[in-house]
Amino acid sequence: MHLNIHWLHAVLQRWKVPPWRTLLWRTTLYSGLWWVLTEGTGSVWIGIPLALAIALCAPLDTTTWSTHLRWWKLPAFIGFMMKLSISGAVEVAKLALSRRCDANTHTRVYYFRLLTCPSHQLLMANLVNLTPGTLTLRISDDTLYIHILHHPQIAAQLRELESRIAELYGLKHGH
């Protein structure tokens, strides 16, 4: 069997060790996330090397961040997503606790109206996955295919989510 490692060689040539302050900051941040995720009970001997490995590999170069993102709208967007996620979780909990099974599962097709950029569409697809009771199946030709457990107002929620993402990137209707 022949192993082609040219792609690995190309990646390693482009990779650079971050400056020590950046590496220290990243390692501290990821170690803190490890501590939170393990509720303070995770092994330091696993957490710190894991955080260091992620800090060495994870791109946090701000030049790759979107210049079109309206950062001041981010807190309201996060609040909206939390509300959407909590309401979805309550709906799924009601369904799970009901004596009769009213699971109205089906596949929904959603056509993007405002988001034409593939990265914006991918963001919406991933955010749909964060809402309990929904799962993105695929994105194809400006169309989002979603599996729905039980959501009576899913069409309105998807339109609202797309509008909020469009606002976040400063997109106007029709762009």
Side-chain angles (χ1 to χ4, degrees), residues 70-99:
R70 296 186 172 183
W71 296 99
W72 63 92
K73 293 192 177 229
L74 200 54
F77 183 78
I78 291 170
F80 165 74
M81 279 307 300
M82 288 177 68
K83 177 184 161 215
L84 192 63
S85 187
I86 290 170
S87 68
V90 167
E91 191 69 33
V92 170
K94 281 188 212 174
L95 183 63
L97 295 174
S98 70
R99 292 188 187 253

PDB file of all heavy atoms in Angstrom, residues 70-99:
ATOM      1  N   ARG A  70     -20.883  42.105  11.959  1.00  0.00           N
ATOM      2  CA  ARG A  70     -21.190  43.249  12.819  1.00  0.00           C
ATOM      3  C   ARG A  70     -21.133  42.773  14.266  1.00  0.00           C
ATOM      4  O   ARG A  70     -22.117  42.252  14.797  1.00  0.00           O
ATOM      5  CB  ARG A  70     -22.547  43.827  12.452  1.00  0.00           C
ATOM      6  CG  ARG A  70     -22.512  44.359  11.046  1.00  0.00           C
ATOM      7  CD  ARG A  70     -23.741  45.045  10.678  1.00  0.00           C
ATOM      8  NE  ARG A  70     -23.501  45.670   9.380  1.00  0.00           N
ATOM      9  CZ  ARG A  70     -24.370  46.417   8.785  1.00  0.00           C
ATOM     10  NH1 ARG A  70     -25.538  46.645   9.345  1.00  0.00           N
ATOM     11  NH2 ARG A  70     -24.088  46.948   7.621  1.00  0.00           N
ATOM     12  N   TRP A  71     -19.967  42.949  14.878  1.00  0.00           N
ATOM     13  CA  TRP A  71     -19.686  42.424  16.214  1.00  0.00           C
ATOM     14  C   TRP A  71     -20.632  42.955  17.275  1.00  0.00           C
ATOM     15  O   TRP A  71     -20.954  42.240  18.223  1.00  0.00           O
ATOM     16  CB  TRP A  71     -18.229  42.729  16.594  1.00  0.00           C
ATOM     17  CG  TRP A  71     -17.264  42.042  15.693  1.00  0.00           C
ATOM     18  CD1 TRP A  71     -16.616  42.593  14.621  1.00  0.00           C
ATOM     19  CD2 TRP A  71     -16.874  40.686  15.725  1.00  0.00           C
ATOM     20  NE1 TRP A  71     -15.838  41.655  13.990  1.00  0.00           N
ATOM     21  CE2 TRP A  71     -15.969  40.470  14.653  1.00  0.00           C
ATOM     22  CE3 TRP A  71     -17.186  39.613  16.546  1.00  0.00           C
ATOM     23  CZ2 TRP A  71     -15.398  39.234  14.398  1.00  0.00           C
ATOM     24  CZ3 TRP A  71     -16.593  38.382  16.284  1.00  0.00           C
ATOM     25  CH2 TRP A  71     -15.721  38.216  15.236  1.00  0.00           C
ATOM     26  N   TRP A  72     -21.109  44.186  17.123  1.00  0.00           N
ATOM     27  CA  TRP A  72     -21.991  44.776  18.125  1.00  0.00           C
ATOM     28  C   TRP A  72     -23.364  44.108  18.119  1.00  0.00           C
ATOM     29  O   TRP A  72     -24.114  44.231  19.069  1.00  0.00           O
ATOM     30  CB  TRP A  72     -22.124  46.285  17.921  1.00  0.00           C
ATOM     31  CG  TRP A  72     -22.750  46.678  16.606  1.00  0.00           C
ATOM     32  CD1 TRP A  72     -24.070  46.892  16.368  1.00  0.00           C
ATOM     33  CD2 TRP A  72     -22.079  46.885  15.366  1.00  0.00           C
ATOM     34  NE1 TRP A  72     -24.271  47.218  15.050  1.00  0.00           N
ATOM     35  CE2 TRP A  72     -23.059  47.220  14.398  1.00  0.00           C
ATOM     36  CE3 TRP A  72     -20.748  46.822  14.963  1.00  0.00           C
ATOM     37  CZ2 TRP A  72     -22.747  47.498  13.075  1.00  0.00           C
ATOM     38  CZ3 TRP A  72     -20.457  47.102  13.635  1.00  0.00           C
ATOM     39  CH2 TRP A  72     -21.443  47.434  12.719  1.00  0.00           C
ATOM     40  N   LYS A  73     -23.709  43.370  17.071  1.00  0.00           N
ATOM     41  CA  LYS A  73     -24.986  42.663  17.010  1.00  0.00           C
ATOM     42  C   LYS A  73     -24.873  41.242  17.570  1.00  0.00           C
ATOM     43  O   LYS A  73     -25.880  40.563  17.725  1.00  0.00           O
ATOM     44  CB  LYS A  73     -25.494  42.620  15.572  1.00  0.00           C
ATOM     45  CG  LYS A  73     -25.874  43.991  15.065  1.00  0.00           C
ATOM     46  CD  LYS A  73     -26.629  43.907  13.774  1.00  0.00           C
ATOM     47  CE  LYS A  73     -27.031  45.302  13.361  1.00  0.00           C
ATOM     48  NZ  LYS A  73     -28.414  45.391  13.008  1.00  0.00           N
ATOM     49  N   LEU A  74     -23.666  40.824  17.872  1.00  0.00           N
ATOM     50  CA  LEU A  74     -23.440  39.461  18.346  1.00  0.00           C
ATOM     51  C   LEU A  74     -24.137  39.156  19.681  1.00  0.00           C
ATOM     52  O   LEU A  74     -24.750  38.089  19.806  1.00  0.00           O
ATOM     53  CB  LEU A  74     -21.939  39.182  18.436  1.00  0.00           C
ATOM     54  CG  LEU A  74     -21.501  37.734  18.443  1.00  0.00           C
ATOM     55  CD1 LEU A  74     -22.059  36.956  17.259  1.00  0.00           C
ATOM     56  CD2 LEU A  74     -19.997  37.640  18.459  1.00  0.00           C
ATOM     57  N   PRO A  75     -24.104  40.034  20.690  1.00  0.00           N
ATOM     58  CA  PRO A  75     -24.802  39.697  21.945  1.00  0.00           C
ATOM     59  C   PRO A  75     -26.303  39.458  21.763  1.00  0.00           C
ATOM     60  O   PRO A  75     -26.846  38.507  22.330  1.00  0.00           O
ATOM     61  CB  PRO A  75     -24.540  40.921  22.833  1.00  0.00           C
ATOM     62  CG  PRO A  75     -23.267  41.496  22.309  1.00  0.00           C
ATOM     63  CD  PRO A  75     -23.316  41.261  20.823  1.00  0.00           C
ATOM     64  N   ALA A  76     -26.967  40.280  20.965  1.00  0.00           N
ATOM     65  CA  ALA A  76     -28.399  40.074  20.718  1.00  0.00           C
ATOM     66  C   ALA A  76     -28.637  38.760  19.968  1.00  0.00           C
ATOM     67  O   ALA A  76     -29.608  38.046  20.234  1.00  0.00           O
ATOM     68  CB  ALA A  76     -28.980  41.249  19.936  1.00  0.00           C
ATOM     69  N   PHE A  77     -27.731  38.433  19.045  1.00  0.00           N
ATOM     70  CA  PHE A  77     -27.859  37.188  18.289  1.00  0.00           C
ATOM     71  C   PHE A  77     -27.693  35.985  19.214  1.00  0.00           C
ATOM     72  O   PHE A  77     -28.439  35.010  19.106  1.00  0.00           O
ATOM     73  CB  PHE A  77     -26.837  37.147  17.150  1.00  0.00           C
ATOM     74  CG  PHE A  77     -26.971  35.931  16.297  1.00  0.00           C
ATOM     75  CD1 PHE A  77     -27.966  35.843  15.347  1.00  0.00           C
ATOM     76  CD2 PHE A  77     -26.098  34.867  16.457  1.00  0.00           C
ATOM     77  CE1 PHE A  77     -28.107  34.714  14.564  1.00  0.00           C
ATOM     78  CE2 PHE A  77     -26.226  33.735  15.677  1.00  0.00           C
ATOM     79  CZ  PHE A  77     -27.233  33.657  14.727  1.00  0.00           C
ATOM     80  N   ILE A  78     -26.728  36.051  20.109  1.00  0.00           N
ATOM     81  CA  ILE A  78     -26.523  34.955  21.065  1.00  0.00           C
ATOM     82  C   ILE A  78     -27.753  34.792  21.952  1.00  0.00           C
ATOM     83  O   ILE A  78     -28.202  33.676  22.220  1.00  0.00           O
ATOM     84  CB  ILE A  78     -25.239  35.184  21.896  1.00  0.00           C
ATOM     85  CG1 ILE A  78     -24.015  35.038  20.992  1.00  0.00           C
ATOM     86  CG2 ILE A  78     -25.161  34.222  23.073  1.00  0.00           C
ATOM     87  CD1 ILE A  78     -22.708  35.471  21.623  1.00  0.00           C
ATOM     88  N   GLY A  79     -28.334  35.914  22.393  1.00  0.00           N
ATOM     89  CA  GLY A  79     -29.568  35.859  23.181  1.00  0.00           C
ATOM     90  C   GLY A  79     -30.709  35.212  22.405  1.00  0.00           C
ATOM     91  O   GLY A  79     -31.459  34.389  22.945  1.00  0.00           O
ATOM     92  N   PHE A  80     -30.835  35.570  21.133  1.00  0.00           N
ATOM     93  CA  PHE A  80     -31.863  34.975  20.280  1.00  0.00           C
ATOM     94  C   PHE A  80     -31.658  33.469  20.165  1.00  0.00           C
ATOM     95  O   PHE A  80     -32.608  32.684  20.274  1.00  0.00           O
ATOM     96  CB  PHE A  80     -31.838  35.631  18.894  1.00  0.00           C
ATOM     97  CG  PHE A  80     -32.602  34.873  17.851  1.00  0.00           C
ATOM     98  CD1 PHE A  80     -33.989  34.884  17.846  1.00  0.00           C
ATOM     99  CD2 PHE A  80     -31.937  34.134  16.888  1.00  0.00           C
ATOM    100  CE1 PHE A  80     -34.699  34.169  16.892  1.00  0.00           C
ATOM    101  CE2 PHE A  80     -32.631  33.422  15.933  1.00  0.00           C
ATOM    102  CZ  PHE A  80     -34.025  33.436  15.927  1.00  0.00           C
ATOM    103  N   MET A  81     -30.415  33.041  19.946  1.00  0.00           N
ATOM    104  CA  MET A  81     -30.132  31.615  19.805  1.00  0.00           C
ATOM    105  C   MET A  81     -30.402  30.860  21.109  1.00  0.00           C
ATOM    106  O   MET A  81     -30.912  29.733  21.077  1.00  0.00           O
ATOM    107  CB  MET A  81     -28.686  31.390  19.359  1.00  0.00           C
ATOM    108  CG  MET A  81     -28.462  31.551  17.881  1.00  0.00           C
ATOM    109  SD  MET A  81     -29.566  30.554  16.851  1.00  0.00           S
ATOM    110  CE  MET A  81     -29.189  28.893  17.376  1.00  0.00           C
ATOM    111  N   MET A  82     -30.094  31.482  22.232  1.00  0.00           N
ATOM    112  CA  MET A  82     -30.372  30.832  23.515  1.00  0.00           C
ATOM    113  C   MET A  82     -31.880  30.660  23.702  1.00  0.00           C
ATOM    114  O   MET A  82     -32.345  29.607  24.131  1.00  0.00           O
ATOM    115  CB  MET A  82     -29.757  31.639  24.652  1.00  0.00           C
ATOM    116  CG  MET A  82     -28.243  31.537  24.694  1.00  0.00           C
ATOM    117  SD  MET A  82     -27.488  32.549  25.971  1.00  0.00           S
ATOM    118  CE  MET A  82     -28.055  31.706  27.433  1.00  0.00           C
ATOM    119  N   LYS A  83     -32.645  31.692  23.362  1.00  0.00           N
ATOM    120  CA  LYS A  83     -34.106  31.623  23.469  1.00  0.00           C
ATOM    121  C   LYS A  83     -34.653  30.526  22.558  1.00  0.00           C
ATOM    122  O   LYS A  83     -35.499  29.731  22.965  1.00  0.00           O
ATOM    123  CB  LYS A  83     -34.719  32.975  23.106  1.00  0.00           C
ATOM    124  CG  LYS A  83     -36.211  33.000  23.114  1.00  0.00           C
ATOM    125  CD  LYS A  83     -36.730  34.358  22.652  1.00  0.00           C
ATOM    126  CE  LYS A  83     -38.164  34.207  22.218  1.00  0.00           C
ATOM    127  NZ  LYS A  83     -38.531  35.045  21.128  1.00  0.00           N
ATOM    128  N   LEU A  84     -34.150  30.478  21.322  1.00  0.00           N
ATOM    129  CA  LEU A  84     -34.596  29.470  20.368  1.00  0.00           C
ATOM    130  C   LEU A  84     -34.244  28.063  20.849  1.00  0.00           C
ATOM    131  O   LEU A  84     -35.053  27.142  20.772  1.00  0.00           O
ATOM    132  CB  LEU A  84     -33.944  29.743  19.009  1.00  0.00           C
ATOM    133  CG  LEU A  84     -34.470  28.981  17.802  1.00  0.00           C
ATOM    134  CD1 LEU A  84     -35.918  29.341  17.527  1.00  0.00           C
ATOM    135  CD2 LEU A  84     -33.616  29.300  16.595  1.00  0.00           C
ATOM    136  N   SER A  85     -33.063  27.909  21.383  1.00  0.00           N
ATOM    137  CA  SER A  85     -32.620  26.610  21.868  1.00  0.00           C
ATOM    138  C   SER A  85     -33.419  26.158  23.087  1.00  0.00           C
ATOM    139  O   SER A  85     -33.818  24.992  23.185  1.00  0.00           O
ATOM    140  CB  SER A  85     -31.128  26.667  22.201  1.00  0.00           C
ATOM    141  OG  SER A  85     -30.652  25.398  22.516  1.00  0.00           O
ATOM    142  N   ILE A  86     -33.674  27.083  24.004  1.00  0.00           N
ATOM    143  CA  ILE A  86     -34.434  26.732  25.208  1.00  0.00           C
ATOM    144  C   ILE A  86     -35.872  26.385  24.856  1.00  0.00           C
ATOM    145  O   ILE A  86     -36.429  25.406  25.363  1.00  0.00           O
ATOM    146  CB  ILE A  86     -34.352  27.871  26.245  1.00  0.00           C
ATOM    147  CG1 ILE A  86     -32.929  27.928  26.820  1.00  0.00           C
ATOM    148  CG2 ILE A  86     -35.378  27.682  27.355  1.00  0.00           C
ATOM    149  CD1 ILE A  86     -32.644  29.149  27.666  1.00  0.00           C
ATOM    150  N   SER A  87     -36.489  27.167  23.976  1.00  0.00           N
ATOM    151  CA  SER A  87     -37.872  26.858  23.596  1.00  0.00           C
ATOM    152  C   SER A  87     -37.944  25.511  22.872  1.00  0.00           C
ATOM    153  O   SER A  87     -38.889  24.747  23.073  1.00  0.00           O
ATOM    154  CB  SER A  87     -38.474  27.971  22.740  1.00  0.00           C
ATOM    155  OG  SER A  87     -37.852  28.048  21.481  1.00  0.00           O
ATOM    156  N   GLY A  88     -36.937  25.198  22.049  1.00  0.00           N
ATOM    157  CA  GLY A  88     -36.893  23.896  21.396  1.00  0.00           C
ATOM    158  C   GLY A  88     -36.724  22.771  22.400  1.00  0.00           C
ATOM    159  O   GLY A  88     -37.350  21.713  22.281  1.00  0.00           O
ATOM    160  N   ALA A  89     -35.893  23.004  23.413  1.00  0.00           N
ATOM    161  CA  ALA A  89     -35.674  21.982  24.446  1.00  0.00           C
ATOM    162  C   ALA A  89     -36.946  21.739  25.253  1.00  0.00           C
ATOM    163  O   ALA A  89     -37.274  20.592  25.590  1.00  0.00           O
ATOM    164  CB  ALA A  89     -34.535  22.410  25.366  1.00  0.00           C
ATOM    165  N   VAL A  90     -37.677  22.796  25.552  1.00  0.00           N
ATOM    166  CA  VAL A  90     -38.942  22.656  26.284  1.00  0.00           C
ATOM    167  C   VAL A  90     -39.942  21.863  25.448  1.00  0.00           C
ATOM    168  O   VAL A  90     -40.626  20.972  25.956  1.00  0.00           O
ATOM    169  CB  VAL A  90     -39.508  24.046  26.678  1.00  0.00           C
ATOM    170  CG1 VAL A  90     -40.940  23.951  27.155  1.00  0.00           C
ATOM    171  CG2 VAL A  90     -38.627  24.691  27.733  1.00  0.00           C
ATOM    172  N   GLU A  91     -40.007  22.164  24.161  1.00  0.00           N
ATOM    173  CA  GLU A  91     -40.914  21.446  23.260  1.00  0.00           C
ATOM    174  C   GLU A  91     -40.570  19.957  23.201  1.00  0.00           C
ATOM    175  O   GLU A  91     -41.448  19.097  23.279  1.00  0.00           O
ATOM    176  CB  GLU A  91     -40.844  22.069  21.866  1.00  0.00           C
ATOM    177  CG  GLU A  91     -41.899  21.599  20.920  1.00  0.00           C
ATOM    178  CD  GLU A  91     -43.297  22.074  21.275  1.00  0.00           C
ATOM    179  OE1 GLU A  91     -43.443  23.185  21.816  1.00  0.00           O
ATOM    180  OE2 GLU A  91     -44.245  21.322  21.007  1.00  0.00           O
ATOM    181  N   VAL A  92     -39.287  19.631  23.093  1.00  0.00           N
ATOM    182  CA  VAL A  92     -38.858  18.232  23.046  1.00  0.00           C
ATOM    183  C   VAL A  92     -39.122  17.552  24.393  1.00  0.00           C
ATOM    184  O   VAL A  92     -39.553  16.395  24.432  1.00  0.00           O
ATOM    185  CB  VAL A  92     -37.367  18.129  22.642  1.00  0.00           C
ATOM    186  CG1 VAL A  92     -36.842  16.712  22.819  1.00  0.00           C
ATOM    187  CG2 VAL A  92     -37.175  18.582  21.202  1.00  0.00           C
ATOM    188  N   ALA A  93     -38.902  18.264  25.493  1.00  0.00           N
ATOM    189  CA  ALA A  93     -39.170  17.692  26.819  1.00  0.00           C
ATOM    190  C   ALA A  93     -40.662  17.386  26.991  1.00  0.00           C
ATOM    191  O   ALA A  93     -41.030  16.329  27.523  1.00  0.00           O
ATOM    192  CB  ALA A  93     -38.697  18.644  27.905  1.00  0.00           C
ATOM    193  N   LYS A  94     -41.516  18.291  26.541  1.00  0.00           N
ATOM    194  CA  LYS A  94     -42.965  18.049  26.605  1.00  0.00           C
ATOM    195  C   LYS A  94     -43.329  16.805  25.810  1.00  0.00           C
ATOM    196  O   LYS A  94     -44.125  15.988  26.257  1.00  0.00           O
ATOM    197  CB  LYS A  94     -43.740  19.247  26.046  1.00  0.00           C
ATOM    198  CG  LYS A  94     -43.883  20.404  26.969  1.00  0.00           C
ATOM    199  CD  LYS A  94     -44.840  21.392  26.312  1.00  0.00           C
ATOM    200  CE  LYS A  94     -44.512  22.804  26.662  1.00  0.00           C
ATOM    201  NZ  LYS A  94     -45.341  23.769  25.932  1.00  0.00           N
ATOM    202  N   LEU A  95     -42.743  16.674  24.642  1.00  0.00           N
ATOM    203  CA  LEU A  95     -43.010  15.518  23.791  1.00  0.00           C
ATOM    204  C   LEU A  95     -42.531  14.235  24.468  1.00  0.00           C
ATOM    205  O   LEU A  95     -43.234  13.221  24.460  1.00  0.00           O
ATOM    206  CB  LEU A  95     -42.312  15.697  22.444  1.00  0.00           C
ATOM    207  CG  LEU A  95     -42.545  14.627  21.403  1.00  0.00           C
ATOM    208  CD1 LEU A  95     -44.006  14.562  21.005  1.00  0.00           C
ATOM    209  CD2 LEU A  95     -41.678  14.881  20.191  1.00  0.00           C
ATOM    210  N   ALA A  96     -41.370  14.283  25.077  1.00  0.00           N
ATOM    211  CA  ALA A  96     -40.813  13.098  25.735  1.00  0.00           C
ATOM    212  C   ALA A  96     -41.623  12.690  26.967  1.00  0.00           C
ATOM    213  O   ALA A  96     -41.738  11.507  27.272  1.00  0.00           O
ATOM    214  CB  ALA A  96     -39.361  13.354  26.128  1.00  0.00           C
ATOM    215  N   LEU A  97     -42.201  13.671  27.659  1.00  0.00           N
ATOM    216  CA  LEU A  97     -42.932  13.381  28.892  1.00  0.00           C
ATOM    217  C   LEU A  97     -44.418  13.110  28.667  1.00  0.00           C
ATOM    218  O   LEU A  97     -45.104  12.695  29.591  1.00  0.00           O
ATOM    219  CB  LEU A  97     -42.759  14.533  29.884  1.00  0.00           C
ATOM    220  CG  LEU A  97     -41.328  14.745  30.388  1.00  0.00           C
ATOM    221  CD1 LEU A  97     -41.245  16.001  31.244  1.00  0.00           C
ATOM    222  CD2 LEU A  97     -40.837  13.527  31.145  1.00  0.00           C
ATOM    223  N   SER A  98     -44.905  13.366  27.468  1.00  0.00           N
ATOM    224  CA  SER A  98     -46.329  13.132  27.221  1.00  0.00           C
ATOM    225  C   SER A  98     -46.603  11.634  27.173  1.00  0.00           C
ATOM    226  O   SER A  98     -45.764  10.838  26.779  1.00  0.00           O
ATOM    227  CB  SER A  98     -46.772  13.800  25.919  1.00  0.00           C
ATOM    228  OG  SER A  98     -46.217  13.136  24.821  1.00  0.00           O
ATOM    229  N   ARG A  99     -47.794  11.275  27.583  1.00  0.00           N
ATOM    230  CA  ARG A  99     -48.159   9.854  27.625  1.00  0.00           C
ATOM    231  C   ARG A  99     -48.374   9.290  26.227  1.00  0.00           C
ATOM    232  O   ARG A  99     -48.075   8.146  25.969  1.00  0.00           O
ATOM    233  CB  ARG A  99     -49.398   9.655  28.470  1.00  0.00           C
ATOM    234  CG  ARG A  99     -49.111   9.949  29.913  1.00  0.00           C
ATOM    235  CD  ARG A  99     -50.293   9.547  30.761  1.00  0.00           C
ATOM    236  NE  ARG A  99     -50.038   9.998  32.115  1.00  0.00           N
ATOM    237  CZ  ARG A  99     -49.727   9.188  33.098  1.00  0.00           C
ATOM    238  NH1 ARG A  99     -49.656   7.906  32.886  1.00  0.00           N
ATOM    239  NH2 ARG A  99     -49.497   9.667  34.290  1.00  0.00           N
TER     240      ARG A  99
END
